[in-house]
């Protein structure tokens, strides 16, 4: 028997002159040649890769969340559960990415920070799309992307569409819960604010789980996503504090101060509030 298992695998394809390869399918030439350091410092490679990998995970989160929104709108809550569970698992990967970036020390980062100019993660359009599909809308954010009309159109479209929580609330209404019409017909370009009728409906779901199992499952999937999102925000804030302290961010934000402020925002407020009263 050969010491090399590969030689015993007679069915493995080795002739790819006319066949698609792994590299071809994943377009690895483009992917692995996208890390362009602007300095000669060794650790800039880490900085670039962490952010690129995070953008790929954000792309998947957006894809799955949009799919879940469509499934809920089609009255197929069960299909949405798998997508929302995948969002949560993906969020855990982004959170762990901060652990890798935290190996970058302040002295190492300062060796190439000036090369970033005014570029900042604050400008990530995919992060904004995640906020939009979750229902957090801030009008001044769109101004960042006006230089790119195609990208601006994508963001503006998402800005005016209902978010994940909006379609969840509509699912409550379809199931017979009394939801205020101004909530069901609200301007989706505005960030959602707590509503008594929504709070009452979710409370009834949690007090009678057996009769409202799918809505209960949906609610808990939303809580999972918000929980992981807040953990991501916290790890982001602590990683920034660890590396640059309280310096102003490269994009002009207050850095750690700004990141601490957004920790206080909830996407699905009634689902958290009811825990104090159930």
């Amino acid at each position: 028997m050969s010491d090399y298992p590969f030689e015993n695998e007679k069915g493995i394809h080795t002739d790819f002159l006319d066949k698609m390869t792994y590299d071809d399918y994943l377009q690895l030439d483009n992917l692995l040649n996208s890390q362009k350091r602007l300095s000669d410092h060794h650790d800039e490679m880490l900085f670039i890769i962490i952010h690129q990998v995070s953008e790929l995970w954000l792309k998947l989160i957006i894809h799955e969340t949009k799919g879940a929104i469509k499934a809920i709108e089609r009255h197929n809550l069960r299909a949405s559960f798998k997508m929302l569970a995948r969002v949560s698992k993906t969020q855990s990967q982004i959170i762990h990415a901060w652990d890798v970036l935290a190996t970058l020390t302040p002295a190492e980062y300062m060796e190439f920070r000036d090369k970033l100019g005014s570029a900042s993660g604050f400008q990530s359009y995919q992060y904004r799309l995640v906020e939009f599909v979750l229902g957090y809308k801030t009008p001044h954010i769109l101004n960042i992307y006006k230089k790119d009309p195609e990208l601006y159109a994508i963001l503006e479209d998402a800005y005016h569409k209902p978010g994940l929580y909006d379609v969840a609330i509509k699912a409550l209404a379809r199931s017979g819960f009394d939801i205020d019409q101004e909530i069901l017909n609200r301007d989706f370009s505005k960030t959602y604010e707590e509503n008594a009728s929504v709070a009452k409906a979710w409370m009834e779901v949690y007090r009678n789980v057996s009769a409202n199992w799918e809505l209960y499952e949906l609610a808990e999937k939303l809580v999972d996503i918000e929980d992981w999102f807040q953990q991501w925000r916290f790890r982001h804030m602590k990683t920034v504090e660890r590396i640059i302290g309280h310096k102003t961010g490269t994009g002009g934000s207050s850095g750690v101060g700004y990141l601490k402020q957004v920790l206080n925002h909830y996407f699905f407020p009634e689902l958290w509030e009811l825990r104090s009263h159930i």
Side-chain angles (χ1 to χ4, degrees):
M1 181 178 289
S2 171
D3 291 333
Y4 300 98
F6 174 81
E7 294 180 4
N8 299 318
E9 294 291 333
K10 303 303 182 183
I12 290 180
H13 298 287
T14 57
D15 180 4
F16 288 97
L17 290 176
D18 299 311
K19 298 175 183 176
M20 181 173 65
T21 67
Y22 174 82
D23 290 2
D24 296 333
Y25 178 67
L26 295 178
Q27 301 184 54
L28 289 184
D29 281 348
N30 292 332
L31 184 65
L32 299 180
N33 284 300
S34 296
Q35 295 74 48
K36 310 293 186 183
R37 287 186 294 168
L38 299 181
S39 74
D40 294 326
H41 197 273
H42 173 85
D43 295 309
E44 189 181 358
M45 184 64 75
L46 162 69
F47 191 81
I48 293 171
I49 288 176
I50 286 295
H51 286 84
Q52 288 183 341
V53 168
S54 294
E55 287 293 332
L56 288 173
W57 284 131
L58 288 174
K59 185 172 185 176
L60 182 58
I61 288 173
I62 294 163
H63 176 72
E64 297 295 340
T65 306
K66 284 184 174 180
I69 288 172
K70 289 179 181 178
I72 296 168
E73 288 178 328
R74 292 194 299 264
H75 308 183
N76 191 352
L77 297 189
R78 291 186 180 184
S80 76
F81 296 158
K82 178 63 176 291
M83 300 172 195
L84 296 176
R86 187 174 290 158
V87 169
S88 294
K89 292 296 185 182
T90 305
Q91 288 174 296
S92 73
Q93 296 299 309
I94 296 185
I95 291 169
H96 289 311
W98 292 122
D99 297 335
V100 182
L101 187 59
T103 65
L104 183 69
T105 69
E108 290 163 348
Y109 182 48
M110 292 310 295
E111 290 289 332
F112 61 85
R113 188 185 190 224
D114 64 320
K115 299 294 185 182
L116 303 181
S118 58
S120 166
F122 183 83
Q123 298 145 14
S124 167
Y125 77 87
Q126 288 202 126
Y127 176 77
R128 299 306 168 189
L129 279 174
V130 170
E131 288 188 328
F132 289 177
V133 295
L134 293 181
Y136 183 53
K137 314 287 181 71
T138 47
H140 63 279
I141 287 296
L142 286 174
N143 294 329
I144 297 173
Y145 309 99
K146 283 186 174 179
K147 67 175 290 186
D148 186 334
E150 185 176 348
L151 179 56
Y152 184 84
I154 292 171
L155 285 159
E156 188 175 36
D157 179 62
Y159 185 79
H160 290 283
K161 284 185 174 178
L164 179 59
Y165 199 42
D166 294 309
V167 296
I169 291 171
K170 287 187 176 183
L172 285 171
R174 284 198 307 269
S175 297
F177 291 96
D178 186 15
I179 305 296
D180 293 341
Q181 285 301 310
E182 60 263 31
I183 292 297
L184 297 174
N185 301 314
R186 74 185 193 86
D187 180 354
F188 298 119
S189 69
K190 299 185 183 301
T191 297
Y192 176 81
E193 295 182 1
E194 287 186 66
N195 175 267
S197 69
V198 174
K200 181 180 179 182
W202 284 127
M203 185 65 74
E204 290 180 30
V205 168
Y206 274 75
R207 284 178 171 162
N208 194 355
V209 171
S210 59
N212 302 288
W213 178 258
E214 288 195 348
L215 289 170
Y216 173 72
E217 182 72 8
L218 175 60
E220 285 299 295
K221 288 288 188 288
L222 298 183
V223 170
D224 286 342
I225 289 173
E226 178 127 50
D227 189 348
W228 282 110
F229 200 93
Q230 289 293 72
Q231 291 186 54
W232 182 88
R233 280 171 163 169
F234 180 78
R235 288 297 296 129
H236 185 187
M237 182 270 291
K238 294 306 291 184
T239 302
V240 170
E241 185 176 23
R242 175 173 177 154
I243 296 174
I244 69 168
H246 290 266
K247 294 187 183 76
T248 299
T250 50
S253 74
S254 58
V256 170
Y258 170 79
L259 296 173
K260 284 183 176 179
Q261 289 178 43
V262 296
L263 282 172
N264 295 322
H265 173 261
Y266 287 91
F267 295 106
F268 320 126
E270 291 88 355
L271 294 177
W272 292 92
E273 181 63 24
L274 70 80
R275 282 157 163 75
S276 300
H277 306 288
I278 198 166

